[in-house]
């Protein structure tokens, strides 16, 4: 009888664990998102409401004219700067907190498609993971010159650049892409046009020209527009809306296999980039929290995010276009394993496996303060 009793307890416990696992595996169907009350999701409702109030009070949406803002920001710093892609004015801020896959709280218009600037870099990283999984790229440590042979990776210096170098932003690629020289993007020194070159993989430098080069190189291996690949492989399967758009520049059109395609940009530094809603960002974040699994479907390999969030040799709080909380320096209140993507003006997707949490922020420059307050609202057992 005792053994039957304990077997019964084990069966009940196992079933309970199974139900808990299923609950934490929830993914929202298209056009819907099941809510969960803050207290049921493990939050103190009052403290979470205070956190959201603080976030809204610290949201910055003026000036609304982003075309003028990026002109005013970069023209004084960058020789020959100009806006090459479309822009869209920003309106009110918005955001979401998702735990266990369920929507705990939202604010603002979560369905408005806004510019998101460098948050799109995470989408490029995901496409690189798909290219690797497909066998289109044999190894991240392969020279890109083996795949792109139109002169952009010619020479001893550029010829040594690998896919990993582009993804870690330490390639130090030298050249001009879409009429913008690499050195004109965030120029350094008294004579940036004649700067000394650093061996690929030895020096980190945040540079949108080189990220745009990654997008161009991925276009060469997929042989179809990257927005189409992203839609078919990622955004449609996760139930994203049809309102997002991914733009390049007026001069970034190429011809591949007899078809005219636009090479998209890896940010909004020169305009263009990804225009997308907060709700679609949250779905994308949840997919990455789940390591590429969406319900019964696996959309990218389970080990990809472990690769993408491994600190690079040249910057220990940066992986493959994802920011890391190494040493808990950036956000002391967050786990060291947390990671995020960040875009100009305060656009963020924060992913936190330890707390089963995704936070999306729009136009909140102090993301560390915002995330710390949301985490502070969690009930600790």
């Amino acid at each position: 009888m005792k053994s039957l009793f304990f077997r019964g307890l084990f069966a009940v416990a196992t079933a309970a664990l199974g139900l808990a696992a299923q609950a934490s595996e929830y993914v929202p169907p298209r056009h819907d998102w099941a809510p969960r009350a803050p207290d049921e999701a493990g939050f103190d409702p009052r403290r979470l409401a205070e956190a959201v109030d603080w976030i809204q009070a610290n949201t910055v949406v003026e000036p609304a004219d982003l075309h003028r803002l990026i002109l005013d920001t970069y023209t004084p710093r960058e020789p020959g700067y100009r806006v090459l892609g479309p822009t869209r004015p920003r309106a009110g801020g918005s955001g979401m907190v998702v735990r266990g896959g369920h929507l705990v709280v939202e604010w603002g218009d979560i369905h408005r498609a806004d510019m998101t600037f460098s948050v799109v870099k995470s989408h490029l990283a995901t496409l690189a993971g798909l290219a690797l999984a497909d066998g289109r790229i044999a190894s991240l440590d392969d020279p890109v010159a083996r795949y792109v042979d139109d002169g952009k990776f010619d020479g001893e210096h550029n010829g040594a650049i690998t896919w990993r170098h582009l993804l870690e932003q330490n390639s130090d690629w030298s050249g001009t892409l879409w009429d913008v020289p690499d050195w004109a993007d965030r120029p350094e020194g008294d004579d940036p046009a004649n700067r000394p070159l650093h061996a690929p993989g030895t020096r980190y430098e945040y540079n949108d020209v080189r990220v745009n080069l990654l997008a161009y190189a991925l276009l060469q291996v997929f042989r179809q527009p990257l927005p189409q690949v992203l839609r078919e492989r990622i955004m449609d399967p996760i139930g994203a809306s049809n309102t997002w758009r991914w733009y390049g520049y007026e001069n970034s059109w190429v011809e591949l296999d007899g078809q005219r395609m636009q090479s998209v940009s890896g940010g909004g530094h020169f305009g263009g980039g990804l225009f997308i809603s907060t709700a679609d960002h949250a779905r994308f974040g949840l997919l990455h929290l789940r390591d590429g699994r969406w319900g019964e479907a696996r959309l990218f390999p389970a080990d990809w995010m472990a690769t993408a969030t491994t600190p690079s040799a040249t910057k220990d709080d940066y992986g493959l276009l994802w920011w890391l909380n190494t040493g808990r320096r950036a956000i002391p209140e967050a786990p060291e394993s947390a990671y995020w993507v960040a875009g100009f003006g305060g656009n963020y997707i924060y992913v936190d496996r330890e707390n089963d949490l995704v936070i999306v922020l729009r136009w909140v420059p102090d993301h560390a303060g915002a995330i710390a307050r949301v985490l502070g609202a969690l009930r600790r057992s």
Side-chain angles (χ1 to χ4, degrees):
M1 289 293 293
K2 185 179 287 188
S3 63
L4 287 173
F5 173 74
F6 283 114
R7 282 203 298 272
L9 280 181
F10 178 77
V12 170
T14 301
L17 286 171
L19 287 173
Q22 289 175 23
S24 68
E25 299 287 318
Y26 167 81
V27 292
R30 190 181 301 274
H31 308 305
D32 195 16
W33 206 313
R36 178 166 286 171
D39 57 343
E40 294 177 357
F43 287 94
D44 179 306
R46 179 185 61 81
R47 295 189 69 183
L48 183 59
E50 290 174 349
V52 173
D53 287 345
W54 184 93
I55 291 168
Q56 291 181 294
N58 286 272
T59 296
V60 178
V61 292
E62 294 294 338
D65 185 347
L66 289 172
H67 188 280
R68 172 50 54 188
L69 178 60
I70 59 176
L71 273 175
D72 290 346
T73 299
Y74 296 117
T75 300
R77 309 178 191 176
E78 302 184 4
Y81 177 81
R82 61 208 184 279
V83 177
L84 296 171
T87 62
R88 184 184 188 188
R90 56 182 168 180
S94 61
M96 294 173 66
V97 175
V98 174
R99 195 170 196 213
H102 290 80
L103 174 59
V104 180
V105 65
E106 65 176 86
W107 61 93
D109 184 354
I110 65 170
H111 299 296
R112 173 186 163 88
D114 267 330
M115 292 185 73
T116 196
F117 292 90
S118 287
V119 173
V120 72
K121 289 177 172 58
S122 61
H123 297 69
L124 279 177
T126 299
L127 290 177
L130 292 179
L132 186 67
D134 291 352
R136 297 173 187 272
I137 297 171
S139 168
L140 294 182
D141 298 308
D142 271 359
V144 184
R146 293 182 185 173
Y147 303 82
V148 182
D149 62 355
D150 61 2
K152 291 181 176 59
F153 292 91
D154 285 356
E156 182 178 356
H157 178 80
N158 287 347
I161 292 170
T162 69
W163 294 98
R164 191 182 304 277
H165 295 149
L166 292 177
L167 287 159
E168 291 182 342
Q169 297 217 64
N170 55 27
S171 72
D172 207 35
W173 179 81
S174 179
T176 296
L177 183 69
W178 316 134
D179 297 330
V180 181
D182 68 280
W183 56 264
D185 184 343
R186 301 168 179 87
E188 298 179 329
D190 296 330
D191 186 12
N194 296 298
R195 63 186 178 82
L197 296 180
H198 299 85
T202 64
R203 184 175 183 267
Y204 169 86
E205 183 183 7
Y206 199 91
N207 184 287
D208 277 273
V209 173
R210 298 180 192 131
V211 173
N212 292 339
L213 181 69
L214 170 64
Y216 174 81
L218 287 171
L219 176 62
Q220 302 300 308
V221 298
F222 277 110
R223 313 300 291 178
Q224 59 180 314
L226 296 190
Q228 181 180 335
V229 180
L230 184 69
R231 184 179 299 280
E232 292 173 355
R233 301 285 295 273
I234 300 294
M235 303 304 278
D236 280 354
I238 65 176
S241 73
N242 65 353
T243 63
W244 64 271
R245 301 290 185 271
W246 193 357
Y247 299 102
Y249 305 140
E250 60 193 24
N251 60 349
S252 67
W253 291 90
V254 300
E255 186 172 300
L256 286 180
D257 307 327
Q259 298 185 59
R260 193 166 182 259
M261 305 177 191
Q262 190 178 43
S263 186
V264 291
S265 66
H269 186 93
F270 301 96
L274 187 65
F275 295 22
I276 191 169
S277 72
T278 295
D280 286 346
H281 265 341
R283 288 175 181 268
F284 187 80
L286 183 58
L287 174 68
H288 288 73
L289 179 75
R290 300 278 171 79
D291 283 319
R293 193 160 43 80
W294 193 264
E296 298 299 317
R298 171 152 297 287
L299 303 186
F300 58 76
D303 61 352
W304 170 247
M305 286 313 295
T307 299
T309 57
T310 298
S312 75
T314 51
K315 188 169 175 60
D316 71 356
D317 61 347
Y318 203 67
L320 305 183
L321 301 178
W322 287 88
W323 290 97
L324 313 177
N325 201 30
T326 305
R328 300 177 68 181
R329 294 193 302 268
I331 311 176
E333 297 83 358
E336 186 166 14
S337 59
Y339 55 91
W340 57 90
V341 277
F344 176 88
N347 291 277
Y348 295 91
I349 304 175
Y350 168 85
V351 180
D352 182 341
R353 283 199 189 89
E354 289 190 28
N355 292 303
D356 200 6
L357 189 65
V358 173
I359 302 172
V360 180
L361 303 170
R362 306 306 292 266
W363 314 118
V364 183
D366 185 3
H367 77 293
I371 291 165
R373 284 166 171 80
V374 172
L375 292 175
L378 284 170
R379 289 199 177 104
R380 305 296 179 179
S381 56

